[in-house]
Amino acid sequence: MKYFSVLLLSFLAFVACNEPKTVQTELPTESIFRLTSDWQNQDNQTMQLKDLQGKTLVVVMIYTSCKTACPVLVAKMKSIEAAINSKAIDKVSLVLVSIDPKVDIPERLKEFAIKNNMDNKHWVFLTSNETNTQEFANVLSMKYKKISPIDFSHSNIVSIFSPDGQMVTQEEGLEIDIQKIADIVNQTVKKFK
């Protein structure tokens, strides 16, 4: 029995010493994952941007009651999704951040996602408070301004971030090249495999 106990302790010590170590790599200085603001997703889960780390991000800022530019941006995001290599899509998050946090509560974002067939796991809708929203918009160099109780004037920018949170590129305007963005996403996924 004594021999068995010594053998068992030796084995456990060996296993403990040979467990794979998780390597903590420091985030780049300009990583969006360094932002510490809290957000709620469409499932009403509180999260931070760093919770998206490890995936290539395609990000736009919209608001769900928009009747002009945002529906075009949403359609572009769906086209980008369709153009991304099917083997890469599980390494991508398509992120829509609301600029209207008072209206775009998690339940509304969830309804919007379902209504627009954007409820797969790679779609992420985020809302927060006005301060956090403005901070994130500043990081993206995205301008927006409330022009009436229900309407905003805003930039139309699609941003791509690497899995470590560094900006890869931005495309501005409603006539963005879908295939170009999808190609950059596919290349970024491949680069960070």
Side-chain angles (χ1 to χ4, degrees):
M1 184 69 175
K2 186 175 181 181
Y3 176 75
F4 178 74
S5 297
V6 170
L7 189 61
L8 180 62
L9 286 173
S10 297
F11 176 74
L12 291 174
F14 174 79
V15 169
C17 290
N18 290 300
E19 278 188 41
K21 306 288 187 256
T22 55
V23 178
Q24 288 280 341
T25 57
E26 186 156 333
L27 290 171
T29 305
E30 59 281 349
S31 174
I32 61 166
F33 301 136
R34 288 185 174 269
L35 297 173
T36 58
S37 47
D38 287 331
W39 298 82
Q40 285 71 45
N41 69 12
Q42 69 268 32
D43 296 318
N44 203 19
Q45 297 167 328
T46 299
M47 59 186 294
Q48 292 187 341
L49 294 173
K50 67 182 177 185
D51 295 325
L52 300 172
Q53 187 174 346
K55 297 211 175 187
T56 297
L57 308 182
V58 183
V59 180
V60 296
M61 295 188 81
I62 64 159
Y63 64 108
T64 61
S65 57
C66 178
K67 303 291 185 225
T68 53
C70 296
V72 175
L73 283 172
V74 168
K76 297 285 185 186
M77 287 291 280
K78 290 174 75 173
S79 296
I80 292 166
E81 174 196 28
I84 293 171
N85 184 320
S86 62
K87 293 176 183 171
I89 197 69
D90 63 333
K91 294 176 175 60
V92 175
S93 287
L94 300 156
V95 184
L96 292 91
V97 180
S98 175
I99 61 173
D100 190 9
K102 288 185 179 169
V103 173
D104 287 337
I105 59 174
E107 294 78 13
R108 182 166 177 126
L109 294 177
K110 182 77 166 184
E111 280 175 25
F112 185 86
I114 292 167
K115 178 182 171 192
N116 288 283
N117 297 314
M118 301 166 85
D119 52 346
N120 292 331
K121 66 180 180 176
H122 50 261
W123 289 103
V124 179
F125 289 79
L126 296 176
T127 189
S128 190
N129 59 42
E130 290 181 24
T131 301
N132 294 342
T133 304
Q134 187 61 61
E135 176 188 46
F136 190 62
N138 290 341
V139 168
L140 298 183
S141 298
M142 192 270 195
K143 308 277 187 251
Y144 70 94
K145 180 181 180 181
K146 194 165 200 162
I147 55 176
S148 79
I150 59 166
D151 207 7
F152 289 81
S153 170
H154 61 88
S155 308
N156 302 303
I157 300 174
V158 177
S159 305
I160 301 173
F161 290 90
S162 63
D164 62 0
Q166 293 186 88
M167 186 176 293
V168 176
T169 191
Q170 285 187 309
E171 296 290 321
E172 187 167 4
L174 296 177
E175 297 303 318
I176 58 172
D177 184 338
I178 300 299
Q179 193 55 55
K180 177 182 174 187
I181 291 174
D183 290 344
I184 293 169
V185 169
N186 291 329
Q187 291 164 8
T188 305
V189 167
K190 223 181 247 188
K191 182 180 175 185
F192 283 85
K193 263 186 175 178

